[in-house]
Amino acid sequence: MTVLPAVTGLGTSPLSEGLRHARRAGPVLPVLLLVAMLALPVGASEGSGGTPADAVSGLVVVFCAVRLARRRERPLARTGLVVLGLPVVAVAVAALGAGSAANALDGLARYYQILVLVPAAVLLLVRDRRDFRLVAWALVALGLWQGSIGVHQYLTGTGASYAGEDIRAVGTFGATDVMGMSTVVAYGLVCAVALALGGETPRVRIAAGVCAVALVVPLALSFSRGAWIATAVACVLLIVLGGPRRALRLLAAAAAAAVVLVGGFGVGSSMLEERLSSITQVTAAPDQSVTDRYTMWAAAIDMWQEHPATGVGLKNFPAYRDGHASIALSAGSDVAGAGAAYHRQPLLSPHNMYLLILSEQGLLSLCAIAGSWAALLVCGARRLATAHRGGRGLDCALIACGLLTWQLVDFVYSDIGGPSTVLTAVVFGLAAWWALSPAATGTAGKR
């Protein structure tokens, strides 16, 4: 007779409650694990090899495939098959022009991982808006973690080398991937701003707003101009979509944060001003990084003009670079600090995703891949309008559209490569879920 109360009490224990919540969130847990892997140090890799996060992304795809096979579900509707299928065909055709079988297989694997397989797995494993919010908050938490490491690096002079000082915030990504931390922090900042605008409760909105203000600091200390521009565009878009009253409050908070950051703490005010002004210095004494970037852009366009339909071949940009670049291009970028000895890192891509696809795969492939992204943006924007009218899932709509906008703008200044790239696939998956999944706007996705 005394056993039953004990069993009943056990059923309501914190451990059993935790197990129940874990069981309920089961399908999305692999996606959360994938995000968490980016909190670990990635070592001193040059970005050419796989990382633990890449391995976990493969496990996520396998888990999703096994789950679909067991449940015997139809994975995607017709629209989803077309949108995610366009890159499959485009990259497969482009691989035929690769310089070697190794380049073809390597390029196919990377493009399919980032543009097709992982996004599709995220789309299928996120079942409702609650799962979607879990992934979004995971991105915020990851941004705060990496950002806190970056701020510590700036304050202690243990970051990557910048202007002769080891002050550039790079988080756990090291000096060989200076864009990694800024990308992760920017994702978290965009998610936090969206949650602050569209969160369901005042507590959620306040917590997200605090996180957003905190993430501004490490983003500034990353000295990443592309991330600054993309974040500004995405956040302004979210502010406009959030309504005029919220826009005024958020702009006031952003101005206050800037005053505290630059005026109160004196966080690299002269360096930040110099970095911002260098964005437009193309002819008037630009720094070498700006010169290199525009030189590689010109080289990519020249490659495309010689091979307009199919490009020079998958993974062939480095082989054709010197034959098309001017003498203004330097041999590589300086890498030092954050635990890395000084060395020169070769410039093997144009640091512009659109020009990388155009030069290596041609206009046909660019139209197919960019068309897939445009379709996600249009479908997501239509559902955003529905969420505004119905008041259901507005935060998810803002997160998806904000992240996708950030990525498409940032691709003007970056391309796929480096350990943080696997998060780009997660971002595409979240955007695809909001744009294509019936659970995004239906009553099944409530909460």
Side-chain angles (χ1 to χ4, degrees), residues 388-414:
H388 259 300
R389 291 193 299 268
R392 181 183 297 156
L394 179 60
D395 54 346
C396 298
L398 293 174
I399 291 168
C401 293
L403 286 175
L404 185 56
T405 299
W406 187 94
Q407 193 60 66
L408 296 184
V409 174
D410 186 68
F411 271 163
V412 177
Y413 306 95
S414 68

Side-chain angles (χ1 to χ4, degrees), residues 13 39 69 100 114 129 163 196 222 231 285 334 344 446:
S13 66
S100 65
I114 304 303
R129 291 192 288 272
S222 70
T231 304
D334 296 333
R344 298 281 285 175
K446 194 172 184 178

Side-chain angles (χ1 to χ4, degrees), residues 35-410:
V35 175
M37 291 301 296
L38 271 297
L40 303 177
V42 297
S45 156
E46 293 291 337
S48 57
T51 66
D54 290 319
V56 172
S57 73
L59 294 178
V60 171
V61 174
V62 172
F63 175 83
C64 179
V66 171
R67 184 171 181 270
L68 288 175
R70 290 183 61 185
R71 296 169 66 93
R72 298 181 180 179
E73 294 179 348
R74 181 180 178 182
L76 295 171
R78 184 179 302 173
T79 302
L81 288 172
V82 172
V83 171
L84 294 179
L86 285 174
V88 173
V89 177
V91 177
V93 172
L96 298 176
S100 65
N103 280 349
L105 291 176
D106 189 21
L108 275 173
R110 192 59 161 169
Y111 275 97
Y112 282 176
Q113 174 200 17
I114 304 303
L115 303 183
V116 182
L117 296 177
V118 176
V122 173
L123 164 61
L124 296 169
L125 294 176
V126 173
R127 296 160 301 166
D128 52 31
R129 291 192 288 272
R130 188 186 318 189
D131 285 354
F132 188 98
R133 293 180 184 114
L134 279 175
V135 180
W137 276 111
L139 291 176
V140 174
L142 178 62
L144 289 171
W145 168 251
Q146 290 287 356
S148 64
I149 296 174
V151 172
H152 179 266
Q153 290 170 334
Y154 174 85
L155 295 176
T156 59
T158 56
S161 178
Y162 177 79
E165 301 180 62
D166 293 343
I167 59 171
R168 188 169 190 176
V170 292
T172 64
F173 295 96
T176 57
D177 185 20
V178 294
M179 293 290 294
M181 190 211 74
S182 63
T183 299
V184 169
V185 169
Y187 287 155
L189 179 55
V190 171
C191 289
V193 170
L195 288 164
L197 291 169
E200 293 184 308
T201 65
R203 180 180 298 180
V204 169
R205 292 193 292 270
I206 292 172
V210 171
C211 292
V213 173
L215 288 168
V216 171
V217 179
L219 182 63
L221 298 180
S222 70
F223 296 101
S224 175
R225 293 166 294 199
W228 290 349
I229 294 171
T231 304
V233 171
C235 289
V236 168
L237 175 65
L238 292 178
I239 290 171
V240 171
L241 295 174
R245 291 185 179 180
R246 287 178 176 176
L248 291 175
R249 289 199 299 266
L250 197 57
L251 287 174
V259 170
V260 172
L261 175 63
V262 179
F265 293 106
V267 177
S269 55
S270 61
M271 291 184 177
L272 291 174
E273 182 180 354
E274 179 184 349
R275 192 67 168 169
L276 282 169
S277 63
S278 68
I279 295 173
T280 57
Q281 289 178 348
V282 182
T283 58
D287 62 34
Q288 186 59 49
S289 64
V290 174
T291 300
D292 287 340
R293 179 157 301 189
Y294 286 113
T295 300
M296 288 190 294
W297 287 5
I301 294 174
D302 196 40
M303 294 178 199
W304 166 69
Q305 288 175 339
E306 286 191 4
H307 307 271
T310 59
V312 297
L314 206 59
K315 305 283 287 186
N316 276 355
F317 181 89
Y320 284 78
R321 184 199 64 180
D322 292 342
H324 294 269
S326 70
I327 59 174
L329 182 66
S330 65
S333 59
D334 296 333
V335 174
Y342 173 82
H343 65 281
R344 298 281 285 175
Q345 184 168 313
L347 303 173
L348 302 179
S349 78
H351 294 289
N352 179 308
M353 188 64 184
Y354 306 105
L355 292 180
L356 177 63
I357 297 173
L358 189 66
S359 61
E360 290 190 343
Q361 304 180 43
L363 185 60
L364 297 177
S365 186
L366 177 63
C367 290
I369 294 175
S372 173
W373 298 337
L376 289 180
L377 191 59
V378 170
C379 293
R382 291 175 61 185
R383 288 189 167 184
L384 172 62
T386 302
H388 259 300
R389 291 193 299 268
R392 181 183 297 156
L394 179 60
D395 54 346
C396 298
L398 293 174
I399 291 168
C401 293
L403 286 175
L404 185 56
T405 299
W406 187 94
Q407 193 60 66
L408 296 184
V409 174
D410 186 68

